[in-house]
Amino acid sequence: MAHSTNDGREANGKTVLLVEDNLHNRRIFAGILKHYGYQVVEATNGVEAIEVLNSTRPDIILMDLSLPVKDGWEATREIKDMPALRDIPIVALTAHAMDGDEEKARAVGCDGYLAKPISPKQLVIEVDRFLKGH
Ligand code: MN
């Protein structure tokens, strides 16, 4: 029997690791993803994200690049260096996007890139593109 999310929409069987230090953004992003049936695991910095990956294999990682303790650039580099984890798509989320950030994010291994402000709908479209498109 399919279990359902908090608002009753049927779970789609996909897990998203959301790495975001800003509580407000985390609530909004997690809320919309759960609404669309995704299971969401949250981490607030790069160290926590890698700890989560020791025990959970998400289908996709949404990685804020600006994080305390260990930033998203470094965490992405480390994840993409691990043969067991490197196939998990990582979508970078960045505020204050600067020219060249997207190229830099792709250079450390990010598979997708969203510049803040990110609308909840845009976030879901990007996740769907990775998980349903192929
Ligand atoms: Mn941040």
Side-chain angles (χ1 to χ4, degrees):
M1 189 175 86
H3 58 95
S4 57
T5 49
N6 288 342
D7 66 1
R9 188 173 285 223
E10 196 174 309
N12 66 13
K14 303 286 189 187
T15 300
V16 178
L17 170 56
L18 173 62
V19 190
E20 166 64 82
D21 60 317
N22 181 285
L23 176 62
H24 176 74
N25 286 341
R26 216 166 54 241
R27 283 192 176 150
I28 290 177
F29 296 159
I32 188 80
L33 289 164
K34 287 175 186 171
H35 177 77
Y36 280 92
Y38 290 99
Q39 185 178 341
V40 180
V41 181
E42 299 177 21
T44 63
N45 63 59
V47 170
E48 272 187 25
I50 288 169
E51 278 170 10
V52 166
L53 291 168
N54 287 326
S55 58
T56 304
R57 188 186 171 87
D59 296 283
I60 189 167
I61 301 168
L62 300 179
M63 181 73 79
D64 180 26
L65 292 175
S66 178
L67 295 167
V69 188
K70 176 178 291 190
D71 67 29
W73 305 96
E74 185 55 33
T76 297
R77 219 177 267 125
E78 288 182 23
I79 293 164
K80 292 298 183 177
D81 269 344
M82 293 187 240
L85 300 178
R86 67 162 59 113
D87 291 343
I88 302 170
I90 299 181
V91 175
L93 312 178
T94 186
H96 319 297
M98 313 266 273
D99 272 358
D101 270 3
E102 179 165 4
E103 289 70 21
K104 278 191 264 173
R106 293 194 189 274
V108 297
C110 292
D111 303 278
Y113 181 90
L114 291 172
K116 295 177 187 175
I118 300 163
S119 74
K121 190 172 178 186
Q122 195 184 3
L123 189 81
V124 169
I125 288 170
E126 183 72 356
V127 170
D128 281 353
R129 190 168 74 82
F130 278 98
L131 299 187
K132 294 180 178 166
H134 34 101

